[in-house]
Amino acid sequence: MSSTVEIDAPPPVAPHPPRRGRWIEHWEPEDPEFWRRTGRRVAHRNLALSVLTEHLGFNVWILWSVVVVSLRPAGFDFTADQLFWLIAAPNLVGAVLRVPYTFAVPRFGGRLWTVISASLLVVPCLLLVVAVRDQSTPYWFFLLAAATAGVGGGTFSSSMANISFFFPERRKGFALGLNAAGGNIGVAVTQLAVPVVISLGGGTHLALAGLLWLPFVVAAAVCAWFRMDSLTEARADTRSYGVALRDRHTWVVSFLYVGTFGSFIGYSFVLPLLVRSTFPELDSVPALVRLGYLAFAGALVGSVARPLGGWLADRFGGGRVTLLTFVGMAVGAVGVVVSLGAHHFPLFLGSFVWLFVMSGAGNGATYRMIPAIFGARARRRATERGTPVDEELRAAKRQSAAVIGVAGAVGALGGFLVNQVFRVAHVNLGSVVPAVWVFFAVYLLGAGVTWWFYLRRRLWVARAPSLAHAGV
């Protein structure tokens, strides 16, 4: 009798998820008991270290946006076109790298890839130091050094794809928003800290811009190695990416992300150079120069707005919030045009700060739509096919992770396009006003696309009734 009781007794709850090394083999964040006992603690620890690495990635990625405005005062005689390409190169490379960085998570595991991606940040820092040490350094080496900073941009997709597996659906919007905001705020930190550090060397010690981040990069890699985990569930199969690439919603959301994140990162790269070229009289105000012409303010508020956008999307729906942010960005674009016509720096900066707030909130809302869309469709498939809901949801999580990588890459490519539109307008037309009107049109188009695919009631009910409760 006693042996029967022992056999029938439920097994004790393990204090930690079963592991092999730093791999977690059992992960059920949707189970409230599992989440309360162990899931929340493990997920938050991995989120904190993910934020640190992604933050440093953005620190390094955006470095050249600050360095370019100091190159001429330091004795490097580059043309305006060459300076624009120095900020465009890391943007382009970062966009391209986001796709393989997403594939790297299922291939190597979130922990190991975080270590690798953090370690790679050493390369652009050292190349920057080498480039600015000698005024005879050729332009092609500067372009190479700037391009390698793109590895910092790749960290976003791998980090977001990895963290998306750790959190339950009800907390995913805020977690992804917080993770992304921690990275995005790296832009503001660099644009505030680097000009101050350079000014300590009399404005010519540009090597300090690269040396500043090296100890933090090494510390992040070490912390990730000893404290992060990898999920076996995150070993997404290649088929998930193939399915994602064939799904029209992947490309709809990617286009929306071009408008939101593309604006955020594109403006982040170009704003310091725009301020210096449009308002050269500000060079006579040393305090503004030391603070990087206050360009950090836009990236700062945009980063803070990102988790707010995710939270609002959780409450009111990602489609509604995304639509409103596109309308808000259109208003901001008009403000920029007015400020340029009046040559009014406070209005110019204020309009860009508003654009950053709207784009930041739009980033969080658009990303929240991804797991909501594919999760809702998974539940519908389970009902129609009679397949287990858990099985369909696991497949949807893998597909969502793939879409996050694709959308992140396409969105970053949008930042490169923003730079190029500004470059062509400034170099060939002598004014950036036509560029701003292009962005105005894109924002109106983004609002229309959002309404067409995710807010039209008849289409919603006719084609995807189960999405009505998806938070989209």
Side-chain angles (χ1 to χ4, degrees):
M1 180 68 68
S2 61
S3 62
T4 303
V5 172
E6 291 178 3
I7 292 175
D8 293 340
V13 178
H16 300 287
R19 303 171 183 237
R20 285 187 298 106
R22 299 296 301 190
W23 282 91
I24 298 177
E25 298 179 352
H26 173 73
W27 190 253
E28 295 291 342
E30 303 296 343
D31 180 354
E33 184 65 15
F34 176 87
W35 180 254
R36 184 183 67 83
R37 285 181 175 272
T38 60
R40 180 171 54 191
R41 183 174 63 254
V42 174
H44 286 175
R45 185 182 68 245
N46 281 272
L47 174 61
L49 293 172
S50 176
V51 168
L52 173 62
T53 303
E54 190 184 334
H55 178 88
L56 290 167
F58 273 81
N59 286 150
V60 173
W61 192 24
I62 204 73
L63 259 178
W64 284 89
S65 74
V66 182
V67 172
V68 291
V69 299
S70 299
L71 287 177
R72 285 179 176 173
F76 296 96
D77 189 22
F78 296 139
T79 66
D81 190 59
Q82 288 175 318
L83 293 179
F84 269 101
W85 274 109
L86 287 178
I87 59 175
N91 204 328
L92 177 60
V93 173
V96 172
L97 287 181
R98 285 189 168 196
V99 173
Y101 267 58
T102 304
F103 278 92
V105 171
R107 176 64 181 85
F108 298 99
R111 166 180 167 260
L112 178 57
W113 185 250
T114 302
V115 174
I116 294 173
S117 61
S119 302
L120 287 174
L121 298 175
V122 172
V123 176
C125 291
L126 292 179
L127 287 181
L128 170 60
V129 173
V130 174
V132 299
R133 286 183 64 186
D134 190 345
Q135 293 183 2
S136 65
T137 303
Y139 177 74
W140 68 263
F141 189 86
F142 272 89
L143 197 59
L144 173 64
T148 61
V151 298
T155 60
F156 176 85
S157 285
S158 57
S159 177
M160 293 291 279
N162 184 44
I163 290 302
S164 70
F165 286 97
F166 277 93
F167 285 83
E169 287 296 324
R170 66 185 182 278
R171 299 177 183 269
K172 201 181 292 282
F174 184 75
L176 290 176
L178 185 62
N179 186 59
N184 292 171
I185 206 170
V187 175
V189 171
T190 293
Q191 291 183 336
L192 174 60
V194 171
V196 172
V197 170
I198 291 175
S199 68
L200 296 178
T204 59
H205 287 59
L206 300 184
L208 295 174
L211 295 173
L212 175 63
W213 307 110
L214 287 177
F216 299 103
V217 167
V218 173
V222 171
C223 289
W225 178 258
F226 286 105
R227 296 295 295 162
M228 285 193 76
D229 305 284
S230 296
L231 300 177
T232 56
E233 182 181 344
R235 285 189 176 278
D237 55 300
T238 306
R239 180 176 176 275
S240 297
Y241 293 88
V243 172
L245 292 174
R246 292 191 299 271
D247 195 305
R248 68 172 181 171
H249 286 285
T250 299
W251 301 108
V252 173
V253 174
S254 295
F255 170 75
L256 299 179
Y257 203 58
V258 166
T260 56
F261 182 75
S263 295
F264 173 86
I265 198 63
Y267 294 152
S268 296
F269 269 102
V270 81
L271 186 55
L273 189 56
L274 277 184
V275 172
R276 195 173 192 279
S277 60
T278 307
F279 301 93
E281 66 274 14
L282 296 180
D283 286 347
S284 62
V285 185
L288 278 179
V289 176
R290 282 195 296 270
L291 293 177
Y293 306 100
L294 301 180
F296 71 91
L300 178 62
V301 297
S303 302
V304 173
R306 180 154 191 160
L308 176 62
W311 178 78
L312 289 172
D314 285 337
R315 286 180 60 89
F316 304 109
R320 295 185 184 93
V321 177
T322 300
L323 175 63
L324 290 176
T325 57
F326 273 120
V327 173
M329 284 191 286
V331 173
V334 173
V336 172
V337 172
V338 172
S339 71
L340 290 171
H343 198 75
H344 193 276
F345 176 68
L347 179 58
F348 177 85
L349 183 63
S351 298
F352 266 106
V353 167
W354 175 255
L355 281 167
F356 275 105
V357 171
M358 290 293 101
S359 63
N363 290 341
T366 305
Y367 247 49
R368 179 62 186 101
M369 291 168 67
I370 296 173
I373 291 169
F374 290 97
R377 294 170 72 195
R379 292 184 180 90
R380 185 181 62 184
R381 283 195 302 270
T383 300
E384 294 174 348
R385 301 173 182 175
T387 53
V389 176
D390 290 345
E391 179 181 320
E392 293 288 353
L393 285 176
R394 279 194 293 270
K397 282 186 178 181
R398 292 193 293 269
Q399 189 174 352
S400 294
V403 176
I404 284 173
V406 174
V410 176
L413 184 60
F416 169 75
L417 295 177
V418 167
N419 290 333
Q420 290 303 293
V421 172
F422 272 124
R423 182 185 67 83
V424 171
H426 178 76
V427 174
N428 297 328
L429 303 179
S431 170
V432 297
V433 171
V436 181
W437 281 123
V438 170
F439 305 140
F440 174 82
V442 170
Y443 299 148
L444 292 184
L445 180 60
V449 168
T450 304
W451 176 82
W452 179 269
F453 281 96
Y454 301 116
L455 295 176
R456 286 194 307 159
R457 285 293 178 184
R458 285 187 301 172
L459 182 69
W460 202 257
V461 174
R463 294 189 180 180
S466 64
L467 291 183
H469 303 290
V472 177

